[in-house]
Amino acid sequence: VQLQASGGGLVQAGGSLRLSCAASGRTFSLYSMGWFRQAPGKEREFVAGVTRNDSPFYADSVKGRFTISRDNAKNTVYLQMNSLKPEDTAVYFCAAADIVRMSPSVYHFWGQGTQVTVSS
């Protein structure tokens, strides 16, 4: 599976962005999908995940603000980000795995990342 993330940009605090991750191949529906982010000097951290059965999971830091969804017909997973904060600034990556986990190590495939910058 090849993944292509897009939708990042510069936004003011309190604003919104929607990230998209388009997958190639016919097996997209068989994978659980995750969004991670990595800020400069920090480790890559789990943001949100969605199972093959469309069950979402979120990091505590984004609960109530971010929404993950998937469209298997379009081979795409989305991350709607609302009420953005400066601490959300990072490069955001999408990834595919057999099961949703917070650890990046279980994800087999990664997109190239898209920069999200939130100004105060």
Side-chain angles (χ1 to χ4, degrees):
V1 175
Q2 291 185 322
L3 304 174
Q4 179 80 28
S6 62
L10 174 63
V11 64
Q12 289 188 332
S16 298
L17 283 174
R18 188 176 83 153
L19 306 184
S20 299
C21 176
S24 63
R26 299 181 180 180
T27 59
F28 174 77
S29 63
L30 300 180
Y31 287 99
S32 293
M33 300 298 296
W35 284 99
F36 288 77
R37 66 188 181 188
Q38 188 166 17
K42 294 188 176 181
E43 293 187 352
R44 192 167 297 190
E45 65 172 357
F46 175 82
V47 175
V50 60
T51 68
R52 290 175 290 181
N53 297 323
D54 220 10
S55 295
F57 296 86
Y58 299 98
D60 288 344
S61 59
V62 306
K63 279 181 182 176
R65 300 188 298 122
F66 290 11
T67 302
I68 189 170
S69 61
R70 66 188 300 160
D71 185 337
N72 289 339
K74 295 183 178 180
N75 280 8
T76 302
V77 61
Y78 303 97
L79 185 68
Q80 178 66 45
M81 306 185 295
N82 298 329
S83 301
L84 283 161
K85 304 175 181 180
E87 52 262 44
D88 295 318
T89 295
V91 178
Y92 283 69
F93 299 88
C94 59
D98 294 326
I99 191 168
V100 171
R101 286 289 185 268
M102 297 181 69
S103 171
S105 64
V106 306
Y107 290 78
H108 309 301
F109 306 101
W110 289 86
Q112 85 289 3
T114 185
Q115 176 71 46
V116 171
T117 303
V118 184
S119 63
S120 57

